[in-house]
Short mmCIF file of all heavy atoms in Angstrom, two decimals:
data_model
loop_
_atom_site.label_atom_id
_atom_site.label_comp_id
_atom_site.label_asym_id
_atom_site.label_seq_id
_atom_site.Cartn_x
_atom_site.Cartn_y
_atom_site.Cartn_z
N MET V 1 0.84 -1.19 0.00
CA MET V 1 0.00 0.00 0.00
C MET V 1 0.88 1.25 0.01
O MET V 1 1.84 1.33 0.76
CB MET V 1 -0.88 -0.01 1.25
CG MET V 1 -1.95 1.06 1.22
SD MET V 1 -2.74 1.23 2.83
CE MET V 1 -3.32 -0.46 3.08
N GLY V 2 0.55 2.19 -0.83
CA GLY V 2 1.37 3.38 -0.93
C GLY V 2 0.82 4.51 -0.08
O GLY V 2 -0.31 4.49 0.36
N PHE V 3 1.68 5.46 0.13
CA PHE V 3 1.23 6.66 0.81
C PHE V 3 2.13 7.80 0.41
O PHE V 3 3.20 7.61 -0.15
CB PHE V 3 1.24 6.47 2.34
CG PHE V 3 2.62 6.33 2.93
CD1 PHE V 3 3.32 7.43 3.37
CD2 PHE V 3 3.20 5.07 3.02
CE1 PHE V 3 4.59 7.29 3.92
CE2 PHE V 3 4.49 4.92 3.55
CZ PHE V 3 5.18 6.04 4.00
N HIS V 4 1.67 9.00 0.67
CA HIS V 4 2.54 10.16 0.50
C HIS V 4 2.46 10.96 1.79
O HIS V 4 1.58 10.71 2.61
CB HIS V 4 2.10 11.02 -0.70
CG HIS V 4 0.77 11.67 -0.50
ND1 HIS V 4 0.63 12.89 0.10
CD2 HIS V 4 -0.48 11.25 -0.79
CE1 HIS V 4 -0.64 13.21 0.15
NE2 HIS V 4 -1.36 12.23 -0.36
N LEU V 5 3.39 11.87 1.97
CA LEU V 5 3.37 12.66 3.18
C LEU V 5 2.54 13.93 2.97
O LEU V 5 2.66 14.59 1.94
CB LEU V 5 4.81 13.04 3.57
CG LEU V 5 5.72 11.85 3.92
CD1 LEU V 5 7.09 12.35 4.31
CD2 LEU V 5 5.12 11.01 5.03
N CYS V 6 1.72 14.23 3.91
CA CYS V 6 0.93 15.44 3.86
C CYS V 6 1.88 16.64 3.75
O CYS V 6 2.84 16.76 4.50
CB CYS V 6 0.09 15.55 5.13
SG CYS V 6 -0.77 17.12 5.28
N SER V 7 1.58 17.51 2.79
CA SER V 7 2.46 18.65 2.54
C SER V 7 2.51 19.61 3.73
O SER V 7 3.46 20.36 3.88
CB SER V 7 1.98 19.43 1.31
OG SER V 7 1.97 18.61 0.19
N THR V 8 1.49 19.60 4.53
CA THR V 8 1.41 20.58 5.62
C THR V 8 1.94 20.02 6.94
O THR V 8 2.80 20.62 7.57
CB THR V 8 -0.04 21.05 5.80
OG1 THR V 8 -0.49 21.59 4.58
CG2 THR V 8 -0.11 22.12 6.88
N CYS V 9 1.45 18.86 7.35
CA CYS V 9 1.83 18.36 8.67
C CYS V 9 2.89 17.26 8.60
O CYS V 9 3.47 16.90 9.62
CB CYS V 9 0.62 17.87 9.44
SG CYS V 9 -0.11 16.36 8.77
N GLY V 10 3.13 16.73 7.41
CA GLY V 10 4.17 15.73 7.27
C GLY V 10 3.76 14.33 7.67
O GLY V 10 4.58 13.41 7.66
N ARG V 11 2.51 14.15 8.06
CA ARG V 11 2.05 12.81 8.43
C ARG V 11 1.73 12.03 7.15
O ARG V 11 1.32 12.61 6.15
CB ARG V 11 0.78 12.90 9.27
CG ARG V 11 1.00 13.47 10.64
CD ARG V 11 -0.34 13.76 11.30
NE ARG V 11 -0.18 14.69 12.40
CZ ARG V 11 -0.02 14.29 13.68
NH1 ARG V 11 -0.02 13.04 13.97
NH2 ARG V 11 0.14 15.18 14.63
N PRO V 12 1.88 10.72 7.21
CA PRO V 12 1.56 9.93 6.02
C PRO V 12 0.08 9.93 5.73
O PRO V 12 -0.75 9.86 6.64
CB PRO V 12 2.05 8.52 6.37
CG PRO V 12 2.21 8.50 7.85
CD PRO V 12 2.44 9.91 8.32
N VAL V 13 -0.25 10.06 4.44
CA VAL V 13 -1.64 9.94 3.99
C VAL V 13 -1.70 8.73 3.07
O VAL V 13 -1.07 8.73 2.02
CB VAL V 13 -2.08 11.20 3.22
CG1 VAL V 13 -3.54 11.08 2.78
CG2 VAL V 13 -1.90 12.46 4.06
N PHE V 14 -2.40 7.69 3.48
CA PHE V 14 -2.40 6.46 2.72
C PHE V 14 -3.31 6.57 1.50
O PHE V 14 -4.26 7.35 1.48
CB PHE V 14 -2.81 5.28 3.62
CG PHE V 14 -1.78 4.99 4.67
CD1 PHE V 14 -1.88 5.53 5.93
CD2 PHE V 14 -0.66 4.23 4.35
CE1 PHE V 14 -0.90 5.28 6.88
CE2 PHE V 14 0.31 3.97 5.31
CZ PHE V 14 0.19 4.50 6.57
N ASP V 15 -2.96 5.77 0.51
CA ASP V 15 -3.67 5.86 -0.77
C ASP V 15 -5.15 5.50 -0.66
O ASP V 15 -5.95 5.91 -1.48
CB ASP V 15 -3.00 4.95 -1.80
CG ASP V 15 -1.68 5.54 -2.28
OD1 ASP V 15 -1.42 6.71 -1.97
OD2 ASP V 15 -0.94 4.81 -2.96
N ASN V 16 -5.50 4.73 0.38
CA ASN V 16 -6.90 4.34 0.51
C ASN V 16 -7.70 5.38 1.29
O ASN V 16 -8.84 5.19 1.62
CB ASN V 16 -7.04 2.96 1.17
CG ASN V 16 -6.53 2.95 2.59
OD1 ASN V 16 -5.89 3.90 3.04
ND2 ASN V 16 -6.81 1.89 3.31
N CYS V 17 -7.05 6.50 1.57
CA CYS V 17 -7.66 7.54 2.38
C CYS V 17 -7.71 8.79 1.51
O CYS V 17 -6.77 9.08 0.77
CB CYS V 17 -6.77 7.74 3.61
SG CYS V 17 -7.20 9.11 4.65
N ALA V 18 -8.80 9.52 1.59
CA ALA V 18 -8.97 10.69 0.74
C ALA V 18 -7.88 11.71 1.02
O ALA V 18 -7.59 12.03 2.15
CB ALA V 18 -10.33 11.31 0.96
N SER V 19 -7.26 12.18 -0.04
CA SER V 19 -6.33 13.30 0.13
C SER V 19 -6.80 14.42 -0.77
O SER V 19 -7.60 14.21 -1.69
CB SER V 19 -4.89 12.90 -0.21
OG SER V 19 -4.78 12.54 -1.55
N PHE V 20 -6.33 15.60 -0.51
CA PHE V 20 -6.85 16.77 -1.19
C PHE V 20 -5.70 17.53 -1.82
O PHE V 20 -4.67 17.74 -1.19
CB PHE V 20 -7.59 17.67 -0.19
CG PHE V 20 -8.77 16.99 0.43
CD1 PHE V 20 -8.60 16.15 1.52
CD2 PHE V 20 -10.03 17.16 -0.09
CE1 PHE V 20 -9.68 15.49 2.09
CE2 PHE V 20 -11.12 16.51 0.47
CZ PHE V 20 -10.94 15.68 1.56
N MET V 21 -5.92 17.95 -3.05
CA MET V 21 -4.91 18.76 -3.72
C MET V 21 -5.33 20.22 -3.58
O MET V 21 -6.45 20.57 -3.91
CB MET V 21 -4.79 18.36 -5.19
CG MET V 21 -4.21 16.97 -5.32
SD MET V 21 -3.77 16.50 -7.01
CE MET V 21 -2.62 17.75 -7.44
N VAL V 22 -4.41 21.01 -3.08
CA VAL V 22 -4.70 22.40 -2.83
C VAL V 22 -3.67 23.25 -3.55
O VAL V 22 -2.46 23.03 -3.39
CB VAL V 22 -4.63 22.72 -1.32
CG1 VAL V 22 -4.96 24.17 -1.05
CG2 VAL V 22 -5.56 21.78 -0.55
N GLU V 23 -4.16 24.18 -4.34
CA GLU V 23 -3.24 25.08 -5.02
C GLU V 23 -2.87 26.21 -4.08
O GLU V 23 -3.74 26.93 -3.58
CB GLU V 23 -3.89 25.63 -6.29
CG GLU V 23 -2.87 26.09 -7.29
CD GLU V 23 -3.49 26.30 -8.68
OE1 GLU V 23 -4.45 25.59 -9.01
OE2 GLU V 23 -3.01 27.19 -9.38
N LEU V 24 -1.58 26.35 -3.82
CA LEU V 24 -1.13 27.36 -2.87
C LEU V 24 -0.96 28.70 -3.56
O LEU V 24 -0.59 28.76 -4.74
CB LEU V 24 0.20 26.92 -2.24
CG LEU V 24 0.12 25.63 -1.43
CD1 LEU V 24 1.52 25.21 -1.00
CD2 LEU V 24 -0.77 25.81 -0.22
N PRO V 25 -1.23 29.79 -2.82
CA PRO V 25 -1.07 31.12 -3.41
C PRO V 25 0.40 31.47 -3.60
O PRO V 25 1.29 30.82 -3.05
CB PRO V 25 -1.73 32.04 -2.37
CG PRO V 25 -1.61 31.29 -1.09
CD PRO V 25 -1.67 29.83 -1.44
N ASP V 26 0.63 32.53 -4.37
CA ASP V 26 1.97 33.09 -4.53
C ASP V 26 2.94 32.08 -5.12
O ASP V 26 4.11 32.00 -4.73
CB ASP V 26 2.52 33.63 -3.21
CG ASP V 26 1.58 34.66 -2.59
OD1 ASP V 26 0.95 35.40 -3.36
OD2 ASP V 26 1.48 34.71 -1.36
N GLY V 27 2.46 31.26 -6.06
CA GLY V 27 3.35 30.31 -6.71
C GLY V 27 3.90 29.26 -5.78
O GLY V 27 4.98 28.72 -6.01
N GLY V 28 3.16 28.95 -4.73
CA GLY V 28 3.59 27.94 -3.77
C GLY V 28 3.45 26.52 -4.26
O GLY V 28 3.81 25.59 -3.57
N GLY V 29 2.90 26.37 -5.46
CA GLY V 29 2.74 25.04 -6.01
C GLY V 29 1.47 24.37 -5.50
O GLY V 29 0.56 25.02 -5.01
N VAL V 30 1.44 23.07 -5.67
CA VAL V 30 0.25 22.32 -5.27
C VAL V 30 0.61 21.46 -4.06
O VAL V 30 1.61 20.74 -4.07
CB VAL V 30 -0.24 21.44 -6.43
CG1 VAL V 30 -1.40 20.55 -5.96
CG2 VAL V 30 -0.67 22.30 -7.60
N ALA V 31 -0.21 21.54 -3.05
CA ALA V 31 0.00 20.74 -1.84
C ALA V 31 -0.95 19.55 -1.88
O ALA V 31 -2.09 19.67 -2.32
CB ALA V 31 -0.27 21.58 -0.59
N MET V 32 -0.48 18.41 -1.45
CA MET V 32 -1.35 17.26 -1.26
C MET V 32 -1.46 17.03 0.23
O MET V 32 -0.47 16.71 0.88
CB MET V 32 -0.81 16.04 -1.98
CG MET V 32 -1.05 16.11 -3.46
SD MET V 32 -0.72 14.55 -4.30
CE MET V 32 -1.96 13.47 -3.60
N VAL V 33 -2.63 17.24 0.76
CA VAL V 33 -2.79 17.19 2.21
C VAL V 33 -3.81 16.13 2.61
O VAL V 33 -4.66 15.74 1.83
CB VAL V 33 -3.23 18.57 2.75
CG1 VAL V 33 -2.20 19.64 2.42
CG2 VAL V 33 -4.59 18.96 2.21
N GLY V 34 -3.70 15.70 3.82
CA GLY V 34 -4.63 14.71 4.36
C GLY V 34 -5.93 15.36 4.78
O GLY V 34 -6.04 16.58 4.87
N PRO V 35 -6.94 14.53 5.05
CA PRO V 35 -8.28 15.05 5.36
C PRO V 35 -8.30 15.91 6.63
O PRO V 35 -9.05 16.89 6.69
CB PRO V 35 -9.13 13.78 5.53
CG PRO V 35 -8.18 12.64 5.58
CD PRO V 35 -6.91 13.07 4.95
N ALA V 36 -7.49 15.59 7.63
CA ALA V 36 -7.52 16.36 8.88
C ALA V 36 -7.03 17.78 8.65
O ALA V 36 -7.51 18.72 9.29
CB ALA V 36 -6.71 15.67 9.96
N CYS V 37 -6.05 17.93 7.75
CA CYS V 37 -5.56 19.28 7.44
C CYS V 37 -6.54 20.00 6.53
O CYS V 37 -6.79 21.19 6.69
CB CYS V 37 -4.20 19.20 6.77
SG CYS V 37 -2.89 18.74 7.92
N ALA V 38 -7.11 19.27 5.56
CA ALA V 38 -8.00 19.91 4.60
C ALA V 38 -9.28 20.43 5.24
O ALA V 38 -9.80 21.46 4.87
CB ALA V 38 -8.35 18.93 3.47
N ASP V 39 -9.79 19.69 6.25
CA ASP V 39 -11.07 20.14 6.82
C ASP V 39 -10.89 21.07 8.01
O ASP V 39 -11.85 21.49 8.63
CB ASP V 39 -11.95 18.92 7.18
CG ASP V 39 -11.45 18.15 8.38
OD1 ASP V 39 -10.50 18.62 9.05
OD2 ASP V 39 -11.98 17.09 8.67
N GLY V 40 -9.62 21.38 8.33
CA GLY V 40 -9.36 22.38 9.37
C GLY V 40 -9.29 21.81 10.78
O GLY V 40 -9.01 22.53 11.73
N SER V 41 -9.54 20.51 10.93
CA SER V 41 -9.53 19.96 12.30
C SER V 41 -8.12 19.94 12.85
O SER V 41 -7.92 20.14 14.05
CB SER V 41 -10.17 18.58 12.33
OG SER V 41 -9.52 17.69 11.45
N MET V 42 -7.13 19.71 11.99
CA MET V 42 -5.73 19.74 12.46
C MET V 42 -5.37 21.15 12.94
O MET V 42 -4.70 21.31 13.97
CB MET V 42 -4.80 19.32 11.32
CG MET V 42 -3.35 19.22 11.74
SD MET V 42 -3.03 17.83 12.81
CE MET V 42 -2.97 16.51 11.60
N LEU V 43 -5.84 22.17 12.22
CA LEU V 43 -5.56 23.56 12.63
C LEU V 43 -6.18 23.84 13.99
O LEU V 43 -5.54 24.43 14.87
CB LEU V 43 -6.09 24.52 11.57
CG LEU V 43 -5.96 26.02 11.93
CD1 LEU V 43 -4.50 26.40 12.14
CD2 LEU V 43 -6.57 26.89 10.84
N ARG V 44 -7.43 23.40 14.20
CA ARG V 44 -8.10 23.65 15.48
C ARG V 44 -7.36 22.98 16.61
O ARG V 44 -7.17 23.57 17.68
CB ARG V 44 -9.56 23.16 15.42
CG ARG V 44 -10.47 24.11 14.67
CD ARG V 44 -11.94 23.80 14.96
NE ARG V 44 -12.32 22.46 14.49
CZ ARG V 44 -12.67 22.18 13.24
NH1 ARG V 44 -12.67 23.14 12.34
NH2 ARG V 44 -13.00 20.96 12.90
N VAL V 45 -6.92 21.74 16.39
CA VAL V 45 -6.19 21.01 17.43
C VAL V 45 -4.90 21.74 17.75
O VAL V 45 -4.56 21.95 18.93
CB VAL V 45 -5.91 19.56 16.97
CG1 VAL V 45 -4.90 18.90 17.90
CG2 VAL V 45 -7.20 18.75 16.93
N CYS V 46 -4.18 22.18 16.72
CA CYS V 46 -2.89 22.84 16.94
C CYS V 46 -3.07 24.18 17.61
O CYS V 46 -2.26 24.57 18.46
CB CYS V 46 -2.13 22.99 15.62
SG CYS V 46 -1.50 21.40 15.02
N GLN V 47 -4.13 24.91 17.24
CA GLN V 47 -4.40 26.19 17.89
C GLN V 47 -4.72 25.99 19.35
O GLN V 47 -4.29 26.76 20.21
CB GLN V 47 -5.55 26.91 17.17
CG GLN V 47 -5.12 27.55 15.87
CD GLN V 47 -6.30 28.15 15.11
OE1 GLN V 47 -7.42 27.69 15.24
NE2 GLN V 47 -6.03 29.16 14.31
N GLN V 48 -5.47 24.93 19.66
CA GLN V 48 -5.81 24.65 21.05
C GLN V 48 -4.55 24.29 21.82
O GLN V 48 -4.32 24.77 22.94
CB GLN V 48 -6.82 23.50 21.09
CG GLN V 48 -7.32 23.20 22.51
CD GLN V 48 -8.03 24.40 23.11
OE1 GLN V 48 -8.91 24.99 22.49
NE2 GLN V 48 -7.63 24.80 24.31
N LEU V 49 -3.70 23.44 21.22
CA LEU V 49 -2.45 23.06 21.88
C LEU V 49 -1.56 24.28 22.08
O LEU V 49 -0.93 24.43 23.13
CB LEU V 49 -1.72 22.00 21.05
CG LEU V 49 -2.37 20.62 21.02
CD1 LEU V 49 -1.61 19.70 20.07
CD2 LEU V 49 -2.43 20.00 22.40
N ALA V 50 -1.49 25.16 21.06
CA ALA V 50 -0.66 26.35 21.18
C ALA V 50 -1.18 27.26 22.29
O ALA V 50 -0.40 27.87 23.02
CB ALA V 50 -0.62 27.09 19.83
N ALA V 51 -2.51 27.34 22.43
CA ALA V 51 -3.11 28.17 23.47
C ALA V 51 -2.78 27.59 24.85
O ALA V 51 -2.53 28.34 25.80
CB ALA V 51 -4.62 28.25 23.27
N ASP V 52 -2.79 26.27 24.95
CA ASP V 52 -2.49 25.64 26.22
C ASP V 52 -1.00 25.62 26.51
O ASP V 52 -0.59 25.53 27.66
CB ASP V 52 -3.01 24.19 26.22
CG ASP V 52 -4.53 24.13 26.20
OD1 ASP V 52 -5.16 25.16 26.46
OD2 ASP V 52 -5.07 23.05 25.91
N GLY V 53 -0.20 25.66 25.44
CA GLY V 53 1.25 25.70 25.61
C GLY V 53 1.89 24.34 25.87
O GLY V 53 3.10 24.26 26.04
N ALA V 54 1.08 23.30 25.93
CA ALA V 54 1.65 21.98 26.17
C ALA V 54 0.80 20.93 25.46
O ALA V 54 -0.40 20.89 25.68
CB ALA V 54 1.71 21.69 27.66
N PRO V 55 1.37 20.08 24.67
CA PRO V 55 2.78 20.14 24.28
C PRO V 55 3.01 21.28 23.29
O PRO V 55 2.05 21.72 22.65
CB PRO V 55 2.99 18.77 23.59
CG PRO V 55 1.63 18.44 23.04
CD PRO V 55 0.63 19.00 24.02
N PRO V 56 4.25 21.77 23.20
CA PRO V 56 4.52 22.88 22.29
C PRO V 56 4.24 22.49 20.84
O PRO V 56 4.45 21.35 20.44
CB PRO V 56 6.00 23.18 22.49
CG PRO V 56 6.57 21.99 23.18
CD PRO V 56 5.44 21.33 23.93
N VAL V 57 3.74 23.46 20.08
CA VAL V 57 3.42 23.25 18.67
C VAL V 57 4.46 23.97 17.82
O VAL V 57 4.82 25.10 18.12
CB VAL V 57 2.02 23.78 18.34
CG1 VAL V 57 1.71 23.63 16.86
CG2 VAL V 57 0.97 23.07 19.18
N ASP V 58 4.95 23.29 16.82
CA ASP V 58 5.91 23.89 15.91
C ASP V 58 5.25 25.10 15.23
O ASP V 58 4.22 24.95 14.56
CB ASP V 58 6.31 22.85 14.87
CG ASP V 58 7.36 23.38 13.89
OD1 ASP V 58 7.69 24.58 13.97
OD2 ASP V 58 7.81 22.59 13.07
N PRO V 59 5.80 26.30 15.40
CA PRO V 59 5.18 27.49 14.78
C PRO V 59 5.07 27.36 13.28
O PRO V 59 4.12 27.87 12.66
CB PRO V 59 6.11 28.63 15.16
CG PRO V 59 6.94 28.13 16.31
CD PRO V 59 6.99 26.64 16.17
N ALA V 60 6.02 26.68 12.66
CA ALA V 60 5.97 26.50 11.21
C ALA V 60 4.76 25.67 10.81
O ALA V 60 4.17 25.89 9.75
CB ALA V 60 7.26 25.86 10.70
N LEU V 61 4.40 24.72 11.64
CA LEU V 61 3.23 23.90 11.34
C LEU V 61 1.96 24.73 11.43
O LEU V 61 1.10 24.66 10.55
CB LEU V 61 3.18 22.72 12.32
CG LEU V 61 1.93 21.84 12.25
CD1 LEU V 61 1.74 21.27 10.86
CD2 LEU V 61 2.01 20.72 13.27
N LEU V 62 1.86 25.55 12.47
CA LEU V 62 0.69 26.42 12.60
C LEU V 62 0.60 27.37 11.40
O LEU V 62 -0.48 27.56 10.84
CB LEU V 62 0.83 27.26 13.87
CG LEU V 62 0.00 26.83 15.08
CD1 LEU V 62 0.19 27.82 16.22
CD2 LEU V 62 -1.47 26.70 14.72
N THR V 63 1.74 27.94 11.01
CA THR V 63 1.75 28.84 9.86
C THR V 63 1.29 28.10 8.61
O THR V 63 0.48 28.61 7.83
CB THR V 63 3.17 29.39 9.65
OG1 THR V 63 3.57 30.07 10.83
CG2 THR V 63 3.20 30.38 8.48
N GLY V 64 1.81 26.91 8.42
CA GLY V 64 1.42 26.13 7.25
C GLY V 64 -0.06 25.82 7.21
O GLY V 64 -0.72 25.91 6.17
N LEU V 65 -0.61 25.47 8.37
CA LEU V 65 -2.04 25.15 8.45
C LEU V 65 -2.88 26.39 8.19
O LEU V 65 -3.93 26.32 7.54
CB LEU V 65 -2.36 24.57 9.82
CG LEU V 65 -1.87 23.14 10.04
CD1 LEU V 65 -1.95 22.76 11.53
CD2 LEU V 65 -2.66 22.15 9.22
N GLU V 66 -2.41 27.55 8.68
CA GLU V 66 -3.17 28.78 8.44
C GLU V 66 -3.12 29.17 6.97
O GLU V 66 -4.10 29.64 6.40
CB GLU V 66 -2.64 29.90 9.33
CG GLU V 66 -3.15 29.73 10.76
CD GLU V 66 -2.39 30.60 11.75
OE1 GLU V 66 -1.47 31.32 11.34
OE2 GLU V 66 -2.74 30.53 12.95
N GLN V 67 -1.97 28.97 6.33
CA GLN V 67 -1.87 29.25 4.91
C GLN V 67 -2.78 28.32 4.11
O GLN V 67 -3.43 28.73 3.15
CB GLN V 67 -0.43 29.08 4.43
CG GLN V 67 0.47 30.23 4.83
CD GLN V 67 1.93 29.98 4.49
OE1 GLN V 67 2.31 28.83 4.23
NE2 GLN V 67 2.73 31.02 4.50
N LEU V 68 -2.83 27.07 4.56
CA LEU V 68 -3.70 26.10 3.90
C LEU V 68 -5.15 26.52 4.02
O LEU V 68 -5.91 26.47 3.04
CB LEU V 68 -3.47 24.73 4.52
CG LEU V 68 -4.36 23.60 3.98
CD1 LEU V 68 -4.03 23.33 2.53
CD2 LEU V 68 -4.16 22.35 4.81
N ARG V 69 -5.54 26.95 5.22
CA ARG V 69 -6.91 27.40 5.40
C ARG V 69 -7.21 28.58 4.48
O ARG V 69 -8.28 28.66 3.87
CB ARG V 69 -7.15 27.80 6.86
CG ARG V 69 -8.58 28.26 7.10
CD ARG V 69 -8.82 28.63 8.53
NE ARG V 69 -7.96 29.75 8.93
CZ ARG V 69 -7.96 30.30 10.13
NH1 ARG V 69 -8.77 29.81 11.06
NH2 ARG V 69 -7.17 31.28 10.44
N GLY V 70 -6.24 29.51 4.38
CA GLY V 70 -6.42 30.64 3.50
C GLY V 70 -6.58 30.22 2.03
O GLY V 70 -7.42 30.73 1.32
N ALA V 71 -5.77 29.25 1.64
CA ALA V 71 -5.82 28.76 0.26
C ALA V 71 -7.15 28.09 -0.01
O ALA V 71 -7.74 28.25 -1.09
CB ALA V 71 -4.66 27.79 0.01
N LEU V 72 -7.66 27.36 0.96
CA LEU V 72 -8.93 26.66 0.77
C LEU V 72 -10.09 27.66 0.77
O LEU V 72 -11.06 27.50 0.02
CB LEU V 72 -9.14 25.63 1.89
CG LEU V 72 -8.26 24.39 1.78
CD1 LEU V 72 -8.31 23.60 3.08
CD2 LEU V 72 -8.70 23.52 0.62
N ALA V 73 -9.97 28.70 1.59
CA ALA V 73 -11.03 29.69 1.69
C ALA V 73 -11.08 30.54 0.42
O ALA V 73 -12.13 30.98 -0.01
CB ALA V 73 -10.84 30.57 2.90
N GLY V 74 -9.89 30.76 -0.17
CA GLY V 74 -9.84 31.59 -1.37
C GLY V 74 -10.25 30.76 -2.54
O GLY V 74 -10.26 31.15 -3.65
ZN1 ZN R 1 -1.66 17.04 7.27
#
């Protein structure tokens, strides 16, 4: 079974699981992301974790998720 890594969070997205292609703004190319990132649930979890401060959230991950949300909203 194949998989690719989610462009945003780096977690594996297996081929039998829906993945989403998102065109990034500013010539960022096309991201292939997993369902949790595409539907915003990963962003909500990371924002909650960042608010709580534990465990620490990689700021780059939060930024990536917010950019993804912007790309999906646009
Ligand atoms: Zn992801």
Side-chain angles (χ1 to χ4, degrees):
M1 190 191 304
F3 68 91
H4 66 88
L5 296 181
C6 172
S7 301
T8 303
C9 69
R11 292 169 198 266
V13 181
F14 292 95
D15 286 350
N16 65 348
C17 173
S19 63
F20 298 83
M21 293 189 58
V22 181
E23 203 165 329
L24 297 173
D26 304 325
V30 175
M32 283 191 65
V33 300
C37 288
D39 72 8
S41 57
M42 184 71 79
L43 176 60
R44 282 195 297 277
V45 168
C46 288
Q47 283 175 332
Q48 185 61 50
L49 289 175
D52 292 345
V57 177
D58 182 355
L61 174 57
L62 257 184
T63 302
L65 287 167
E66 283 166 359
Q67 283 174 344
L68 177 65
R69 181 180 60 180
L72 287 167

